[in-house]
Amino acid sequence: RDSVTKGFELGATDYVVKPASPEVVATKAGQAVEGAARSSTSSGVSGSLEEMSLPDVVQILSNGRRGGRLEIVSGAKRGEIHFVEGRIVHAHFGEHDGEGAFYALLKLDRGRFSLDPRFDPPERVITTSPEGLLLEGMRRIDEGLV
């Protein structure tokens, strides 16, 4: 478990438990190559949460009226926030969906983020403004509610 966690912290995208069949290794390798090809052709942005906090990223995307899927990876934890014209319409993180997921994601201060601007969110779950979400999220964090 520690090795897997350390691997994800260092940037691994997946892992294989030994012994693994050749089919599993081939499938995982194909997925990794596919993912790399997608990210290299993306016209989105990416960065480190240590260099730019998630609230800052959200404000930039919101003020710029951007759309797409913002993926956040912190160790073995993965989440996403969906934007349409700068509005946050959905979030997912662990067992959380919607606003609860957004608030939980705000606590992350280590990891990486990347925006896929070609993503078209399938549904609108969140109707609160980005500013309202950020204010409520910061309040919840300050009060230890998240």
Side-chain angles (χ1 to χ4, degrees), residues 55-146:
D56 289 341
V57 174
V58 168
Q59 285 181 321
I60 290 168
L61 295 175
S62 175
N63 291 339
R65 301 184 50 85
R66 306 292 256 162
R69 174 178 50 215
L70 183 67
E71 294 181 286
I72 301 99
V73 178
S74 179
K77 300 175 184 176
R78 296 174 182 272
E80 53 188 54
I81 302 170
H82 302 173
F83 289 83
V84 173
E85 295 179 358
R87 304 266 324 170
I88 297 168
V89 297
H90 188 57
H92 178 76
F93 184 56
E95 69 276 357
H96 303 287
D97 276 316
E99 291 185 12
F102 180 80
Y103 301 142
L105 284 164
L106 287 179
K107 286 185 66 175
L108 299 177
D109 58 0
R110 296 180 116 26
R112 301 210 42 84
F113 64 86
S114 62
L115 177 70
D116 178 359
R118 296 169 292 169
F119 178 80
D120 188 23
E123 61 184 328
R124 183 182 193 112
V125 176
I126 298 174
T127 57
T128 305
S129 72
E131 296 82 10
L133 289 168
L134 287 169
L135 286 171
E136 177 63 14
M138 294 298 112
R139 183 190 71 78
R140 288 177 182 223
I141 289 170
D142 286 345
E143 295 178 8
L145 301 174
V146 180

Side-chain angles (χ1 to χ4, degrees), residues 12-34:
T13 57
D14 207 340
Y15 68 96
V16 177
V17 177
K18 294 193 306 186
S21 71
E23 293 83 13
V24 169
V25 173
T27 300
K28 296 278 188 174
Q31 290 171 340
V33 169
E34 215 173 271

